[in-house]
Amino acid sequence: MTGVPLEAIRDSFEGIMPSVIATTDASGIPNLSYLSHVYYVDSHHVALSNQFFSKTAANVAANGRATVVVLDGRMGLQHVLDLVFVSSSRSGPIFDRISAQLDVMASLQGKSHMLKLRAVDIYRVERCRRIDPVAPIETAPENPVVARDWLAEAAAATAELSAIADPETLLDRSLETLEERCGFRHSMILVADGEGRKLSTVASRGYPRYGFGAEIAFGDGIIGVAAERGLTLRIADMRRSQRYVSAVALAAGLNRDDIPMPAIEQVQCQIAVPLIASGRLSGVVFAESEESFAFSHAHEAALEIIARQIAAGLAIFELADAASDAAGRGVAPVSSADKGQAFSFQYFPRDGGVFIDNDYVIRGVPGRLLYHFVRSYVETGRAEFSNREIRRDRTFNLPDFKDNLETRLILLRRRLEERGGPIGIERPERGQIRLVIDGTPQIAVMEDA
């Protein structure tokens, strides 16, 4: 390729401004069309989404060439790319990533039924040249954030996180590190339920409220799609999505058993990276900003490296916790049930949902755990439990391997703590759970709910 390196114009491939593609038919008659997005593949190739350009497709089939104009949405600079058709694909990593990106953007714009990706066309870039502006463009000063050595920042972050010895500290310190080293001021970690249905917020930073236990379904919004497809997704500028209803800010229209997600106003930029270790998804790390272009390709690469460290750390803690259980621990002590003001404790076996005094608390495995603890407390006065006995109890439907139990207990403890009384749990030592109750629970099992 000759001319301007594609790496120098990466901001032109963010899909902020539509691109123009020009082709000619066999007789030389030109045709112009608009493209929503030109995708950077590598130093010599770009990808175009093949959605509805029938005339363009026919012209490319006739002579194998196209010319594209891309626009830098931040600076307003334009470049012309001379392209040679290489191949078309309906599957594979590039197709999957572009399809996921399109699906997220389409859902944000309410056009899910219109923007279905049919294929991805790969082009070799023969030449990239700048279009000189009619009027001089004031060049912005170099962005110190962009100029940062992101590889060094990611290396330092992973080194620090790899030295942490417990999962709860890892979750919190990960988000702190993301802000300190990468500038992600608003971020959260969500853990998967193990059934491929929902993700729950277990840690957050930079929001007015923590939102522990707030859920997003797989496939919903940028977080849900990132989890469902195991792909990193980034939206650099959301101004094109004026009809955007944030899957993260689903504060309106909540059901009585929904916890509002942590959210900021006027979100303009988002990124979601799946937490995957040994091929298994454990959750998603997500960040957002009120500033357009806040997260660059460099941010994305750094976050992917750090996310892998987080995922690996959580997986190691799971294995260590299970091994510790296998070694055996002391018998959980029994204590007398305290008496005090009565409160209602409703349990829904269908989904493990728990309500206290008619307020939703949590559901799923954490809800089933909480019901088990409270029922045992009421029936026997017992207030201390162990991870080992939970793993042996088949009523929780935990998998035999990689049950994510410790992370679920962290989620439960944080949710109860954020809600505030009358129930809490403590961790007196590794592998042990202590139930703390202020009052007398009146348990009701709601079979038909």
Side-chain angles (χ1 to χ4, degrees):
M1 192 196 80
T2 61
V4 180
L6 296 187
E7 286 73 16
I9 60 167
R10 288 292 297 268
D11 285 346
S12 298
F13 302 121
E14 297 286 359
I16 306 305
M17 303 297 293
S19 302
V20 178
I21 181 170
T23 58
T24 58
D25 64 15
S27 60
I29 298 176
N31 178 75
L32 296 179
S33 186
Y34 284 97
L35 280 168
S36 63
H37 208 148
V38 177
Y39 298 85
Y40 172 88
V41 175
D42 57 34
S43 300
H44 303 282
H45 298 87
V46 295
L48 309 184
S49 56
N50 184 343
Q51 293 166 271
F52 33 70
F53 308 109
S54 57
K55 180 62 176 175
T56 298
N59 289 350
V60 171
N63 59 37
R65 289 182 173 275
T67 299
V68 169
V69 176
V70 294
L71 175 62
D72 183 329
R74 189 202 305 264
M75 297 297 300
L77 295 173
Q78 297 183 80
H79 290 81
V80 178
L81 310 181
D82 296 327
L83 308 179
V84 177
F85 177 78
V86 174
S87 64
S88 184
S89 175
R90 297 177 183 274
S91 62
I94 297 175
F95 178 91
D96 292 343
R97 181 153 186 166
I98 293 176
S99 177
Q101 188 84 24
L102 272 178
D103 287 349
V104 170
M105 295 303 297
S107 67
L108 299 182
Q109 298 175 51
K111 298 177 181 177
S112 299
H113 62 293
M114 297 175 60
L115 301 179
K116 203 66 179 176
L117 183 63
R118 296 190 302 182
V120 169
D121 294 341
I122 306 298
Y123 290 82
R124 185 179 73 254
V125 182
E126 281 198 330
R127 187 183 182 197
C128 173
R129 59 189 185 278
R130 174 175 166 171
I131 299 176
D132 291 329
V134 176
I137 295 177
E138 183 178 351
T139 303
E142 186 177 15
N143 187 336
V145 175
V146 174
R148 185 181 297 178
D149 185 346
W150 291 104
L151 185 58
E153 297 290 357
T158 55
E160 179 179 347
L161 297 180
S162 66
I164 293 175
D166 72 272
E168 189 153 12
T169 303
L170 174 65
L171 292 169
D172 292 337
R173 187 58 194 147
S174 294
L175 299 185
E176 293 170 1
T177 300
L178 289 178
E179 178 173 1
E180 293 167 1
R181 296 201 171 275
C182 303
F184 295 111
R185 293 178 53 237
H186 311 286
S187 61
M188 66 183 87
I189 294 175
L190 302 95
V191 292
D193 61 1
E195 301 173 355
R197 296 192 302 177
K198 290 185 180 295
L199 301 120
S200 300
T201 306
V202 68
S204 68
R205 181 175 176 83
Y207 295 97
R209 55 186 301 280
Y210 291 113
F212 298 137
E215 298 176 334
I216 277 186
F218 274 58
D220 278 358
I222 185 171
I223 296 174
V225 173
E228 182 182 67
R229 307 191 190 186
L231 295 170
T232 296
L233 294 172
R234 178 170 56 88
I235 304 174
D237 190 329
M238 305 180 77
R239 285 173 293 182
R240 291 177 66 185
S241 304
Q242 295 302 313
R243 295 178 61 187
Y244 170 63
V245 178
S246 173
V248 175
L250 282 172
L254 291 173
N255 297 319
R256 65 189 289 260
D257 56 350
D258 286 334
I259 301 170
M261 291 292 294
I264 57 174
E265 296 183 359
Q266 304 298 324
V267 59
Q268 294 293 341
C269 185
Q270 293 182 328
I271 184 169
V273 180
L275 299 174
I276 298 176
S278 301
R280 172 177 170 265
L281 175 85
S282 59
V284 170
V285 59
F286 168 80
E288 59 187 341
S289 173
E290 304 95 333
E291 300 177 17
S292 298
F293 300 102
F295 308 145
S296 66
H297 293 88
H299 285 90
E300 180 179 324
L303 185 55
E304 286 183 328
I305 294 171
I306 297 170
R308 291 187 181 99
Q309 179 61 48
I310 299 171
L314 292 175
I316 291 170
F317 289 132
E318 277 186 40
L319 294 173
D321 185 55
S324 175
D325 278 356
R329 287 187 176 276
V331 177
V334 175
S335 65
S336 299
D338 293 333
K339 302 298 181 182
Q341 185 174 356
F343 61 88
S344 70
F345 184 96
Q346 294 176 306
Y347 175 65
F348 295 77
R350 178 175 56 83
D351 63 354
V354 169
F355 288 70
I356 296 178
D357 286 338
N358 296 317
D359 289 336
Y360 171 70
V361 179
I362 205 161
R363 62 184 156 217
V365 171
R368 294 186 179 94
L369 290 170
L370 182 58
Y371 170 64
H372 170 74
F373 299 152
V374 174
R375 185 188 62 182
S376 297
Y377 175 83
V378 170
E379 292 177 352
T380 69
R382 185 180 179 204
E384 297 205 4
F385 309 85
S386 72
N387 287 13
R388 179 174 60 176
E389 66 176 280
I390 293 170
R391 287 197 167 94
R392 290 179 174 179
D393 190 334
R394 293 299 178 185
T395 60
F396 297 121
N397 296 321
L398 294 176
D400 293 331
F401 181 62
K402 294 181 178 179
D403 53 29
N404 218 14
L405 175 60
E406 195 61 29
T407 309
R408 297 174 204 238
L409 287 169
I410 292 172
L411 170 61
L412 175 58
R413 186 187 64 75
R414 291 186 167 193
R415 171 58 183 149
L416 292 172
E417 185 175 280
E418 185 177 30
R419 183 184 182 279
I423 299 177
I425 62 172
E426 298 175 346
R427 308 303 303 276
E429 61 179 296
R430 188 168 183 171
Q432 299 290 302
I433 305 109
R434 176 180 295 146
L435 182 69
V436 179
I437 293 185
D438 182 13
T440 303
Q442 305 291 320
I443 297 178
V445 178
M446 317 300 285
E447 295 287 356
D448 298 326

